[in-house]
């Protein structure tokens, strides 16, 4: 049962429930202690071990019921026979058993002269089908699913492939070969064997379909997130925007958790051994009190300067959404928006939700781009506040419509700040082409990178958080 529990934990992970290896071991200990016989007790015990938030608990309850509450497959009849029996009463249902037994009479007669058929009748799989041994057949299904790695199925197009693999793992090939031989002989034993083959195939197909539906939700969500995170932000369709915003919050939450833990670990500083030893002299060398070297407190700040002209507005929107979703771990964030003129928009993010503030920013500052004039405005508003603890992030395509780029201002920012990072949504091959001033601006930046999708944006923000710790 431990393998089933591991499969269940894999299912939870596919639904974004965070479970560490240590928690997996705890869950196995809980299952070994409580046992698998009491379903309610097992569910409560595993929920307390694996679900850490109300949202995760809801996902756990949903997945637990679907994963463990399975009905045994019925190998007694084909779907056609079941459809014919539906209008009938229970009395007619009982009459199916003698009829099924009657189907095997031609098999026994033909087996007297056919060695391959005799060997097939001695096969445990066919005997289980003849006896409708549900327990043995369902165990065989589980073993075959584990053998072929059915839990790895992610796409609906793989259902046929895994159905074929499971049939091969259960030994359906021997049944199929005998049926081919009987077809050539026009044997009366053909019909009952085809019936057992159809029953087996139907039940395997149903098993694969149930497994796909069980895992598809989580796999499909991850697959969709992966596609959206690698899609250029200005190519995203309107219908996906809500999902992309949720994905941005999810990425930001993951980064916040990762870097918040590291902050807590480094907050205390190093042990001040000299001071600790001196304090212990009064107590005959017993170190009752420890002293720590406190870390020098930096007050880093982050200045985000975003081009919100038409070609870059989508990228600026998600950069600001990303940065303001990381308020717990990022230093003080001041944001500026520009196209032909630049203005500080930090107060909008204080007064409105992030999504609403971004809409107002685009409405106020959208238009044609003038980098030279915007850098002048930025110098007037913030140059005196830039020091060695300041990180400046500029998001823009550096297309200045052949105006004065005012590279001298950017160099002044470069000399005063801790670092200047330029994120350009255009491909590196386009830098410097036409009216692009990117190659000149690049010389006044500590770091410049192509950034046009969420995966790249997450990577850049992750590096930024490492540097600001």
């Amino acid at each position: 049962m431990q393998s089933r529990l591991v499969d269940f934990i894999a299912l939870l992970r596919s639904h974004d429930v965070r479970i560490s290896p240590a928690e997996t071991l705890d869950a196995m200990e809980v299952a070994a202690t409580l046992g698998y016989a009491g379903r309610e007790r097992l569910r409560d015990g595993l929920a307390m071990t694996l679900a850490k938030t109300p949202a995760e608990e809801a996902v756990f309850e949903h997945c637990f019921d679907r994963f463990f509450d399975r009905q045994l497959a019925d190998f007694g009849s084909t779907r056609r026979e079941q459809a014919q029996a539906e209008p009938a009463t229970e009395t007619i249902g009982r009459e199916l058993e003698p009829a099924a037994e009657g189907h095997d009479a031609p098999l026994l007669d033909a087996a007297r002269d056919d060695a391959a058929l005799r060997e097939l009748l001695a096969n445990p799989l066919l005997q289980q089908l003849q006896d409708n041994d549900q327990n043995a057949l369902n165990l065989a299904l589980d073993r075959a699913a584990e053998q072929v790695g059915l839990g790895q199925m992610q796409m609906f197009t793989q259902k046929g492939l895994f159905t074929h693999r499971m049939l091969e793992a259960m030994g359906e090939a021997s049944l199929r070969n005998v049926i081919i031989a009987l077809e050539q002989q026009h044997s009366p034993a053909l019909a009952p064997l085809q019936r057992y083959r159809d029953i087996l195939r139907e039940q395997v197909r149903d098993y694969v379909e149930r497994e796909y539906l069980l895992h598809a939700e989580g796999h499909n969500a991850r697959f969709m997130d992966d596609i959206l995170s690698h899609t250029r932000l200005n190519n995203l369709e309107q219908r996906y925007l809500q999902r992309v915003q949720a994905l941005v919050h999810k990425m930001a939450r993951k980064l916040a958790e990762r870097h918040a833990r590291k902050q807590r670990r480094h907050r205390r500083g190093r042990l001040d051994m000299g001071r600790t030893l001196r304090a212990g002299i009064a107590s005959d060398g017993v170190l009752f009190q420890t002293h720590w070297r406190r870390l020098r407190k930096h007050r880093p700040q982050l200045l985000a300067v975003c081009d919100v002209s038409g070609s870059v507005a989508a990228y600026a929107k998600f950069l600001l959404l990303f940065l303001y979703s990381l308020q717990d771990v990022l230093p003080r964030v001041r944001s500026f928006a520009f196209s032909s003129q630049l203005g500080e928009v930090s107060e909008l993010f204080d007064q409105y939700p992030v999504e609403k503030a971004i809409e107002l920013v685009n409405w106020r500052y959208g238009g044609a781009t003038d980098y030279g004039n915007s850098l002048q405005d930025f110098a007037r508003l913030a140059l005196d506040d830039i020091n060695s603890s300041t990180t400046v992030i500029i998001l823009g395509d550096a297309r200045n419509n052949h105006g004065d780029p005012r590279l001298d201002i950017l160099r002044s920012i470069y000399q005063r700040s801790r670092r200047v990072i330029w994120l350009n949504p255009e491909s590196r091959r386009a830098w410097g082409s036409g009216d692009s001033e990117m190659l000149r601006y690049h010389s006044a930046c500590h770091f410049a990178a192509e950034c046009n999708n969420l995966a790249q944006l997450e990577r850049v923000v992750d590096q930024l958080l490492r540097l600001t710790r």
Side-chain angles (χ1 to χ4, degrees), residues 285-315:
V286 180
L287 306 181
F288 285 112
Q289 187 175 6
T290 56
H291 295 274
W292 301 84
R293 287 194 180 94
R294 295 187 181 277
L295 292 176
R296 184 164 57 91
K297 290 186 178 179
H298 293 284
R299 289 188 60 79
Q301 66 173 343
L302 179 65
L303 305 184
V305 185
C306 299
D307 179 356
V308 292
S309 60
S311 58
V312 195
Y315 304 99

Side-chain angles (χ1 to χ4, degrees), residues 414-445:
Y414 174 87
Q415 290 166 356
R416 288 167 176 254
S417 64
R418 185 177 184 186
R419 69 183 63 83
V420 176
I421 299 173
W422 193 299
L423 305 179
N424 193 324
E426 289 190 340
S427 168
R428 281 182 177 271
R429 291 189 293 272
W431 292 6
S433 64
D435 60 347
S436 173
E437 301 286 355
M438 190 60 214
L439 296 181
R440 300 176 68 184
Y441 284 140
H442 192 184
S443 64
C445 296

Side-chain angles (χ1 to χ4, degrees), residues 21-41:
E23 289 169 339
T24 301
L25 294 176
D26 290 343
M28 289 183 175
E29 188 72 23
V30 168
T33 304
L34 299 179
Y36 290 89
R39 183 65 53 84
E40 297 293 330
R41 187 173 54 186

Side-chain angles (χ1 to χ4, degrees), residues 29-30 43 49 109 120 146 156 178 182 232 251 256 285 304 318 340 348 374 420 435 451:
E29 188 72 23
V30 168
R43 182 178 62 187
T49 307
D109 293 339
L120 178 64
E146 185 176 355
F156 72 94
V178 172
L182 293 179
R232 290 181 71 93
M251 289 176 166
F318 288 105
S340 59
L348 292 178
S374 299
V420 176
D435 60 347
C451 181

Side-chain angles (χ1 to χ4, degrees), residues 306-377:
C306 299
D307 179 356
V308 292
S309 60
S311 58
V312 195
Y315 304 99
K317 173 182 178 180
F318 288 105
L319 173 64
L320 291 172
L321 189 61
F322 222 123
L323 295 181
Y324 278 89
S325 299
L326 288 166
Q327 288 282 10
D328 293 338
V329 289
L330 271 177
R332 293 175 300 145
V333 178
R334 292 175 63 188
S335 49
F336 302 84
F338 71 94
S339 52
S340 59
Q341 294 182 333
L342 179 142
E344 183 168 1
V345 294
S346 305
E347 77 282 359
L348 292 178
F349 290 90
D350 296 332
Q351 298 171 6
Y352 301 99
V354 177
E355 292 81 1
K356 178 67 176 176
I358 291 172
E359 290 180 10
L360 292 173
V361 168
N362 289 334
W363 177 69
R364 289 187 184 181
Y365 294 96
T369 312
D370 186 339
Y371 275 79
N373 191 43
S374 299
L375 283 173
Q376 276 186 312
D377 291 339

Side-chain angles (χ1 to χ4, degrees), residues 125-242:
L125 174 64
L126 188 62
Q127 290 180 356
Q128 291 163 2
L129 287 169
Q130 288 178 306
D131 299 338
N132 189 19
D133 189 347
Q134 294 188 5
N135 291 330
L137 288 168
N138 279 280
L139 285 174
L141 277 175
D142 290 338
R143 283 196 298 269
E146 185 176 355
Q147 182 179 340
V148 303
L150 187 60
Q152 303 301 318
M153 181 174 58
Q154 297 184 358
M155 306 292 292
F156 72 94
T157 52
Q158 295 175 300
K159 288 191 289 186
L161 174 64
F162 278 98
T163 300
H164 175 72
R165 287 178 177 174
M166 282 189 61
L167 286 169
E168 292 294 318
M170 294 180 72
E172 191 251 3
S174 57
L175 178 59
R176 185 172 63 246
N177 293 335
V178 172
I179 288 176
I180 292 172
L182 293 179
E183 283 177 341
Q184 296 171 350
Q185 301 169 11
H186 302 288
S187 170
L190 178 61
L193 275 188
Q194 287 178 327
R195 175 175 176 274
Y196 288 127
R197 180 200 61 188
D198 294 343
I199 291 174
L200 179 62
R201 289 183 174 180
E202 286 175 359
Q203 293 302 329
V204 171
R205 276 197 292 268
D206 289 348
Y207 188 95
V208 172
E209 180 71 25
R210 287 195 299 271
E211 287 295 310
Y212 170 73
L213 293 175
L214 182 63
H215 293 89
E217 187 178 354
H219 286 311
N220 289 346
R222 285 194 165 193
F223 181 67
M224 196 65 195
D225 287 350
D226 186 60
I227 290 177
L228 291 175
S229 65
H230 289 85
T231 301
R232 290 181 71 93
L233 292 173
N234 64 340
N235 289 338
L236 290 172
E237 297 181 18
Q238 185 70 27
R239 56 182 170 153
Y240 293 123
L241 287 184
Q242 190 173 0

